[in-house]
């Protein structure tokens, strides 16, 4: 009896890829692969996304994710969705991935990309994994066209932006946020400090660096001590003389074409600077 | 120790604290010259520089001095009262409980609506822990029961703090556990000075009058009582004073461990083991220790926001181990 059922299951498993070009029941368990998959997958192909994808404070595509079932990324829950492909990020719990592999579920792991080239690679890879290479190619073309449209900053004598988030954290050029700042036509104060991916920027260094634009981290609900430096009297004094913008974090989290919204917001701020350099 | 020599010791410590205070004002990632810094502090020169000196460095130096003094003096008072050199606000759970009070005040939004709620909530947490400790450890506070009670209170307060921070809807809250465990003076403002100082001053006003009674108590509780020490009143002043000092300090700087252990221990022999003399000396010693540690964290890793408690623990933990080995010989 059991043997017969196993034979049937095996037959379905073998038959499926033959029926369609790509997988038919795709489950994504990472906020960033959720968004890439939503952009590229065929209607009905993606059956579940991580629950973070529905949270508008984190996900840039919370509206699009509505209607898809949400998963919390545990192996048991994913297995019961009977996926023929699982999309995960490189920060996904490796124990979960190992369990899925033991259960025979194909898993595609996407690295967290922080550069434009890396974003293109991930889109191409997503197209291949889903059997939607043409759609991925079209999305990349649109991404590049918009990128070219926004790229109107001079290569030298660029204005300088300071990123300042909770706990005084400032992202450098080796991070997605740093890339967004560079694409919008700014030099980054964090790079002058030699931060690389990012580090603690003391209020004192921030003030004395005389930035042209202050990019403040957004505020979250509830209260925290970590956000207190954003209310420091010295910082508020700085914002009286230096223009500042608040980031919309979901656009800054994942390496997807949605970063263009953040680039566009910063570019607008650059064009509005008093003496446009 | 004769009185002139004691006065000389206090003067020396005072001078050290003064120099460290000045060094703290002059230490920062910006590397501004001494003359320009001091001119900016008193309102001359560049506007941004003035902002840096008055709104960022001055509150940091004041808090370093006040927090260190508060921790030093409460350590000395607790040790005198319990007649046990291992009593220290960090080790017996007072700092952890004060942190719990502060965390509750911040994350419920109470502190944002009413700034003084922050130190008072920390004071309430500290008060509860010191009272609980005195009940648990008993009036004679054997080393073992004192340390065990302290571990239990620290663990409970730490777990409750983690719970509050994990339940917060704010994504940064969970990262704050490190601050509350290790303490830092980075990017504090004058507001923090104004809310912490009154509470700490109240604590000091309660502790200083106990100096004479603590001297009498060195002979034992019975001898102290026969010399006219009102034990009930002494206990009340001590519990309240310590809680206010530790509560005020922890509310704005997090828990900084071992200051209350090291400062009295280093100075005890120099003042001739008299609690009344140890209190002011420990206040200055603690202030010097925290100011020094806060200068060091800025020099060692300026862009990593190294936590103060890391440095004080590096100095304090070996002291603690040394004291355990020493007291092991005394207890049966």
């Amino acid at each position: 009896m059991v043997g017969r059922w196993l034979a049937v299951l095996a037959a379905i498993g073998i038959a499926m890829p033959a029926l369609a070009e790509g997988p038919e029941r795709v489950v994504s368990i990472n906020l960033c692969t959720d968004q890439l998959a939503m952009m590229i997958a065929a209607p009905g192909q993606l059956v579940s996304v991580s629950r973070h994808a529905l949270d508008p404070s984190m996900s840039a595509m919370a509206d699009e994710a509505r209607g898809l079932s949400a998963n919390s990324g545990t192996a048991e829950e994913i297995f019961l969705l009977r996926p023929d492909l699982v999309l995960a990020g490189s920060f996904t719990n490796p124990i979960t991935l190992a369990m899925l592999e033991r259960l025979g579920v194909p898993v595609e792991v996407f690295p967290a990309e922080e550069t434009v080239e890396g974003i293109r690679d991930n889109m191409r890879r997503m197209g291949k994994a889903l059997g939607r290479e043409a759609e991925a190619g079209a999305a990349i073309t649109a991404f590049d066209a918009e990128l070219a449209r926004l790229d109107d900053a001079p290569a030298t004598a660029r204005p300088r932006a300071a990123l300042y988030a909770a706990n005084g954290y400032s992202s450098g050029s080796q991070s997605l946020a740093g890339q967004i700042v560079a694409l919008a036509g700014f030099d980054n104060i964090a790079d002058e400090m030699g931060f690389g991916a990012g580090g603690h920027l003391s209020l004192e260094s921030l003030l004395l660096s005389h930035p042209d634009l202050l990019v403040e981290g957004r505020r979250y609900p509830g209260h925290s001590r970590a956000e207190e430096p954003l209310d420091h009297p010295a910082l508020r004094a700085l914002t009286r003389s230096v223009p500042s913008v608040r980031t919309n974090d979901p656009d800054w989290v994942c390496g997807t074409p949605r970063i263009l919204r953040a680039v566009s917001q910063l570019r607008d701020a650059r064009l509005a600077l008093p003496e446009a350099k | 120790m004769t009185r002139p020599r004691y006065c000389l010791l206090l003067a020396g410590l005072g001078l050290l604290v003064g120099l460290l205070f000045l060094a703290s004002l002059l230490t920062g990632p910006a590397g501004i010259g001494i003359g320009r810094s001091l001119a900016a502090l008193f309102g001359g020169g560049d506007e941004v520089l003035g902002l840096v000196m008055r709104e960022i460095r001055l509150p940091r130096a004041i808090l370093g001095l006040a927090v260190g003094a508060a921790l030093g003096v409460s350590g000395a008072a607790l040790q005198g009262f319990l007649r046990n050199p291992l009593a220290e606000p960090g080790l017996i759970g007072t700092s952890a409980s004060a942190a719990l009070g502060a965390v509750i005040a911040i994350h419920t939004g109470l502190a944002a609506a009413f700034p003084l709620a922050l130190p008072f909530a920390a004071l309430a947490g500290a008060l509860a822990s010191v009272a609980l400790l005195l009940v648990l450890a008993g009036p004679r506070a054997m080393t073992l029961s004192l340390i065990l009670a302290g571990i239990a209170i620290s663990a409970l307060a730490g777990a409750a703090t983690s719970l509050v921070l994990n339940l917060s809807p704010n994504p940064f809250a969970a990262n704050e556990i490190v601050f509350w465990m290790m303490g830092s003076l980075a990017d504090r403002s004058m507001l923090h000075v104004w809310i912490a100082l009154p509470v700490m001053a109240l604590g000091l006003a309660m502790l200083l009058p106990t100096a004479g009674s603590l001297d009498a108590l060195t002979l034992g509780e019975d001898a102290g009582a026969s010399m006219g020490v009102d034990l009930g009143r002494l206990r009340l002043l001590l519990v309240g004073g310590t809680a206010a000092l530790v509560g005020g300090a922890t509310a704005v700087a997090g828990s900084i461990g071992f200051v209350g252990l090291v400062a009295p221990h280093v100075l005890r022999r120099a003042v001739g083991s008299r609690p009344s003399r140890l209190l002011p000396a420990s206040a200055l010693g603690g202030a010097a220790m925290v100011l020094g540690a806060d200068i060091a964290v800025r020099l060692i890793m300026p862009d990593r926001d190294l936590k103060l408690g890391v440095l004080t623990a590096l100095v304090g933990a070996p002291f603690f181990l040394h004291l355990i080995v020493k007291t092991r010989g005394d207890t049966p």
Side-chain angles (χ1 to χ4, degrees):
Chain A
M1 184 68 191
V2 174
R4 240 172 75 195
W5 275 112
L6 279 180
V8 170
L9 279 178
I12 295 170
I14 294 163
M16 256 193 206
L19 287 174
E21 278 176 39
E24 295 188 333
R25 289 187 62 79
V26 178
V27 171
S28 169
I29 57 174
N30 170 281
L31 174 64
C32 297
T33 56
D34 291 342
Q35 300 184 39
L36 278 177
M38 281 189 270
M39 286 172 192
I40 293 169
Q45 189 179 21
L46 186 64
V47 292
S48 174
V49 289
S50 79
R51 65 191 159 81
H52 300 306
L54 285 114
D55 177 354
S57 74
M58 276 190 244
S59 167
M61 296 176 69
D63 287 337
E64 290 89 335
R66 217 168 290 144
L68 291 170
S69 87
N71 68 70
S72 50
T74 60
E76 178 177 332
E77 187 186 355
I78 298 159
F79 185 65
L80 291 176
L81 288 167
R82 292 175 293 109
D84 51 4
L85 178 65
V86 170
L87 306 171
S90 51
F91 295 119
T92 303
N93 185 351
I95 297 170
T96 306
L97 296 185
M99 174 68 83
L100 287 172
E101 261 162 46
R102 265 182 52 205
L103 293 171
V105 180
V107 178
E108 182 88 24
V109 179
F110 288 77
E113 286 300 347
E114 269 129 31
T115 62
V116 170
E117 197 39 58
I119 292 172
R120 286 194 202 103
D121 285 347
N122 263 357
M123 292 168 78
R124 218 169 279 134
R125 214 166 135 202
M126 184 62 80
K128 211 168 157 204
L130 299 178
R132 306 264 294 169
E133 272 145 324
E135 287 77 4
I140 292 172
T141 311
F143 175 55
D144 284 342
E146 182 66 4
L147 209 53
R149 189 182 71 80
L150 295 174
D151 179 22
D152 57 2
T156 53
R158 287 146 66 104
R160 296 153 65 248
L163 294 174
Y164 194 74
N167 274 328
Y169 191 81
S170 188
S171 304
S173 60
Q174 285 162 37
S175 67
L176 185 66
Q179 285 291 309
I180 291 172
V181 170
L183 289 171
F186 283 96
D187 284 339
N188 190 343
I189 300 278
D191 293 334
E192 295 171 17
M193 309 276 167
F195 280 176
H200 172 83
L201 179 62
S202 69
L203 259 181
E204 174 177 337
S205 307
L206 172 64
L207 254 64
L208 292 169
S209 66
H210 297 286
D212 297 307
L213 179 75
L214 181 67
V215 184
E216 287 184 78
R218 63 157 283 195
R219 309 301 282 270
Y220 283 86
H223 299 269
S224 74
R225 200 207 70 88
E227 287 169 337
E228 275 180 18
L230 298 174
D231 290 326
H232 197 288
L235 187 68
R236 296 276 68 92
L238 180 71
T239 54
R240 278 195 288 277
S241 57
V242 172
S244 65
V245 291
R246 281 259 157 89
T247 61
N248 174 33
D249 271 19
D251 296 335
W252 294 70
V253 173
C254 284
T256 76
R258 288 298 164 112
I259 65 160
L260 293 172
R261 288 209 297 217
V263 173
S264 170
Q265 181 202 9
L266 284 196
R267 175 177 167 270
D268 290 346
R270 173 168 57 81
L271 296 177
L273 286 182
E275 356 113 49
K277 288 184 194 173
Chain B
M1 185 185 212
T2 55
R3 188 157 183 86
R5 272 191 60 200
Y6 171 63
C7 291
L8 205 64
L9 176 77
L10 282 193
L13 282 171
L15 186 69
L16 177 67
V17 169
L19 287 176
L20 284 168
F21 185 85
L22 199 65
S24 176
L25 278 177
L26 297 174
T27 308
I32 318 159
I34 297 178
R36 277 179 68 208
S37 300
L38 294 181
L41 182 63
F42 296 108
D46 186 25
E47 189 198 346
V48 177
L49 220 54
L51 217 55
V52 167
M53 292 305 295
R54 285 192 301 273
E55 298 287 344
I56 298 175
R57 288 198 193 172
L58 187 61
R60 186 170 190 160
I62 294 176
L63 283 177
L65 179 99
V67 166
L71 294 175
V73 81
S74 38
L78 278 174
Q79 291 168 20
F81 180 65
L82 296 170
R83 295 184 302 292
N84 189 323
L86 294 180
E88 196 263 340
L91 293 172
I92 61 174
T94 318
S95 297
S97 307
L100 173 61
V103 164
I104 290 174
I106 289 178
H107 291 273
T108 52
L110 207 61
F114 172 55
L116 272 179
L118 177 67
F120 279 112
L123 189 157
L127 206 57
S129 80
V130 182
L132 186 64
L133 183 91
L134 291 185
V135 172
L136 284 175
R140 304 204 187 272
M142 300 291 292
T143 298
L144 189 65
S145 52
L146 182 75
I147 296 303
L148 285 180
I151 290 174
I153 294 172
S154 287
L156 184 66
T161 303
S162 303
L163 178 69
V164 173
L165 293 176
N166 280 320
L167 289 179
S168 164
N170 193 294
F172 300 109
N175 297 333
E176 281 172 27
I177 295 170
V178 181
F179 166 82
W180 293 111
M181 280 187 343
M182 282 301 174
S184 165
L185 289 172
D187 297 342
R188 306 275 79 187
S189 68
M190 270 301 177
L191 173 72
H192 297 108
V193 174
W194 296 129
I195 61 177
L197 279 193
V199 178
M200 288 197 255
L202 178 77
L204 201 63
M206 289 173 86
L207 271 195
L208 287 183
T210 65
S213 308
L214 288 178
D215 277 353
L217 218 58
T218 49
L219 302 169
E221 279 189 4
D222 297 339
S226 71
M227 288 165 74
V229 173
D230 180 349
L231 279 176
R233 181 174 163 274
L234 174 63
R235 184 177 288 235
L236 215 61
L237 281 176
L238 207 116
V239 169
T242 314
L245 282 167
V246 177
T250 307
V252 293
S255 341
I256 303 168
F258 295 106
V259 177
L261 184 81
V262 174
H265 183 74
V266 170
L267 295 164
R268 185 166 288 121
R269 194 161 293 166
V271 299
S273 302
R274 275 177 59 181
S276 60
R277 288 183 168 181
L278 190 55
L279 288 185
S282 290
L284 291 171
M289 187 172 164
V290 171
L291 279 171
D294 190 43
I295 293 170
V297 295
R298 279 178 282 176
L299 292 179
I300 298 170
M301 286 186 191
D303 58 349
R304 279 280 164 255
D305 190 20
L306 189 63
K307 298 287 178 261
L308 263 181
V310 176
L311 276 191
T312 56
L314 281 179
V315 179
F319 260 105
F320 184 52
L321 296 176
H322 167 69
L323 282 175
I324 288 182
V325 172
K326 232 175 77 179
T327 47
R328 201 178 51 185
D330 304 341
T331 45

